[in-house]
Amino acid sequence: MTSAITEGVRVSVMTQYQPEYSSPAQAHFVFTYRITIENHSEHTVQLLRRHWHIFDSNGTIREVEGEGVVGQQPTLEPGEIHEYVSGCNLRTSIGKMVGTYLMERLVDGKQFNVAIPEFTMIAPYRLN
């Protein structure tokens, strides 16, 4: 698990290879990732947008931006946690992702970027 904290908001990531949805012979590798967002600040915050950079080990870089996460723009009171699972397709058995969430403090409307720590996605057979 990797984690990062920005302005009291902690983001942690765990990944898992999905062999049943992958096809290495066709250069198709599927990974899921579980994101845990914890509000350790003293303010209520809302996640507005996401911005990802996705890297395959062959040098391909993709950028993904959009509103919320998995169709939601969660609001977190101080001490609250939000978790979700999403996925990523790669053309190689090794890759990585890194990004940011645009968050807003509801008390004053201040918007700020929260770091999503860089994490790797590796098909388990590559670790032997």
Side-chain angles (χ1 to χ4, degrees), residues 45-127:
V45 297
Q46 182 175 18
L47 189 155
L48 302 176
R49 300 185 63 81
R50 70 189 182 286
H51 186 182
W52 290 106
H53 295 278
I54 305 165
F55 303 84
D56 281 289
S57 60
N58 65 4
T60 302
I61 303 171
R62 291 178 285 158
E63 195 170 351
V64 176
E65 269 191 282
E67 288 189 0
V69 290
V70 294
Q72 299 179 359
Q73 292 179 308
T75 299
L76 288 89
E77 300 284 338
E80 285 190 332
I81 295 173
H82 179 77
E83 284 190 323
Y84 72 94
V85 176
S86 192
C88 179
N89 300 338
L90 297 178
R91 305 276 305 153
T92 59
S93 59
I94 300 174
K96 65 182 179 179
M97 291 176 64
V98 65
T100 56
Y101 293 128
L102 177 64
M103 306 284 274
E104 182 177 315
R105 271 194 336 213
L106 297 187
V107 67
D108 60 7
K110 178 189 176 205
Q111 294 186 353
F112 58 99
N113 284 314
V114 171
I116 305 168
E118 181 177 288
F119 57 93
T120 56
M121 296 168 284
I122 303 172
Y125 62 84
R126 295 298 303 253
L127 298 174

Side-chain angles (χ1 to χ4, degrees), residues 1 5 9 11 33-34 39 61 76 85 107-108 113-114 128:
M1 178 184 295
I5 299 175
V9 178
V11 178
Y33 53 89
R34 174 180 294 279
N39 184 5
I61 303 171
L76 288 89
V85 176
V107 67
D108 60 7
N113 284 314
V114 171
N128 294 333

